[in-house]
Amino acid sequence: VTLGQMAGFRAISGGIRGTGQNSILVTQDASVAVLVDEFGLNNVQAQFVENFDVERIEIYRGPQGTLFGKNSTGGAISIVTKRPVMNEFEGDAELQYGKFKSNGGAIMKGKLALNIPLIQDKLAMRITGIYDYDDGPSRNDKVSSHFPTCVPLFDPTCSNGPLAPPPGLTYAARGDGQRVGGTDVFATKVKFLFTPTDNYE
C-alpha cells in the first residue's frame, strides 16, 4: 500500500499492489476507492489529506466492487473516524506552531474534538474541527524576466543604445513580494449517535 499527497493538491494519491490513481482529472475514476465513514470520495480533489479524530484505517486488497462499488478494482482504503460515546463528556486538542526560518512565515495548526452527551442513554454528539494555516515557504519577489536592452519599438536603429522605456514600464519583471505556497484550510465534522431502544442505533 502506498499513500502520498497529490502534487499541487491536498489530496491522497494512493495505490494497492501497483494499482492506483495519480490524476487530478474529474473525468477519470480512481481504481482504488477512498472512503471516509463509508462515504466514497470518487474524485481526487475531494480526498482531503488532513484527517483528524481517526479511529482506524482499513485496507481492502483486490477488487471490492461488491462492497464498495465500481471504483475499487485495485482495492479500497476506508478511513473510519471516532464515533460519539454515550454519557461521556470528553475532548481532544492539538496545537502546533512553527516558522520556516528565523524571518520566515508562520505555520499554525489547531485540532479540536468534543464528545457531548445530549440525552442520557439516548443521544450523543461528537464535533471535530481543524484549522491549518501557513504563510508559505517562499516569497514572490524574484526577477522573473528582464526587459531587452534594445527594443526597436523605442529605438528603431538600436545603434546609439536603447531609449528609456515609457513611464510605468520597467526593465525587469519582479513579483509583488507576497508569500506563495501557503495553506488556509478550515474543516469541521459533526456526528450523532441515537439509540432510542436497545435494538436500534
Side-chain angles (χ1 to χ4, degrees):
V1 178
T2 60
L3 287 174
Q5 183 173 342
M6 186 73 65
F9 287 84
R10 297 182 62 82
I12 297 172
S13 175
I16 299 176
R17 296 191 302 169
T19 305
Q21 171 73 306
N22 60 0
S23 173
I24 62 173
L25 297 177
V26 296
T27 56
Q28 185 173 355
D29 292 334
S31 56
V32 174
V34 177
L35 306 97
V36 176
D37 291 333
E38 300 182 6
F39 184 83
L41 305 176
N42 295 329
N43 293 328
V44 171
Q45 288 86 341
Q47 297 171 4
F48 184 52
V49 169
E50 191 66 59
N51 289 292
F52 178 54
D53 210 37
V54 173
E55 180 178 306
R56 68 185 184 273
I57 298 178
E58 302 170 349
I59 307 295
Y60 299 89
R61 69 173 185 171
Q64 296 292 330
T66 302
L67 297 176
F68 299 107
K70 66 173 185 173
N71 297 344
S72 57
T73 56
I77 300 171
S78 177
I79 302 171
V80 182
T81 62
K82 294 180 181 179
R83 34 182 285 152
V85 180
M86 284 293 179
N87 308 324
E88 290 186 16
F89 181 84
E90 62 176 1
D92 297 317
E94 293 182 20
L95 183 62
Q96 300 176 12
Y97 178 80
K99 299 189 72 136
F100 285 106
K101 53 184 179 179
S102 60
N103 60 346
I107 307 170
M108 296 176 287
K109 183 183 295 184
K111 302 177 182 180
L112 178 66
L114 291 175
N115 188 90
I116 305 173
L118 300 177
I119 302 176
Q120 182 79 13
D121 297 326
K122 299 293 183 183
L123 184 63
M125 177 182 70
R126 189 172 187 89
I127 181 170
T128 63
I130 177 173
Y131 181 65
D132 189 0
Y133 174 85
D134 68 70
D135 290 326
S138 57
R139 289 184 180 275
N140 181 23
D141 60 357
K142 303 297 186 284
V143 176
S144 58
S145 64
H146 291 274
F147 204 84
T149 57
C150 184
V151 181
L153 179 63
F154 301 141
D155 185 0
T157 63
C158 282
S159 58
N160 298 324
L163 299 178
L169 182 62
T170 62
Y171 283 110
R174 181 182 293 273
D176 57 6
Q178 293 185 352
R179 292 197 169 273
V180 294
T183 303
D184 191 358
V185 174
F186 174 76
T188 185
K189 173 175 59 67
V190 180
K191 298 177 77 172
F192 290 93
L193 177 61
F194 180 49
T195 56
T197 68
D198 293 337
N199 299 322
Y200 180 80
E201 173 178 283

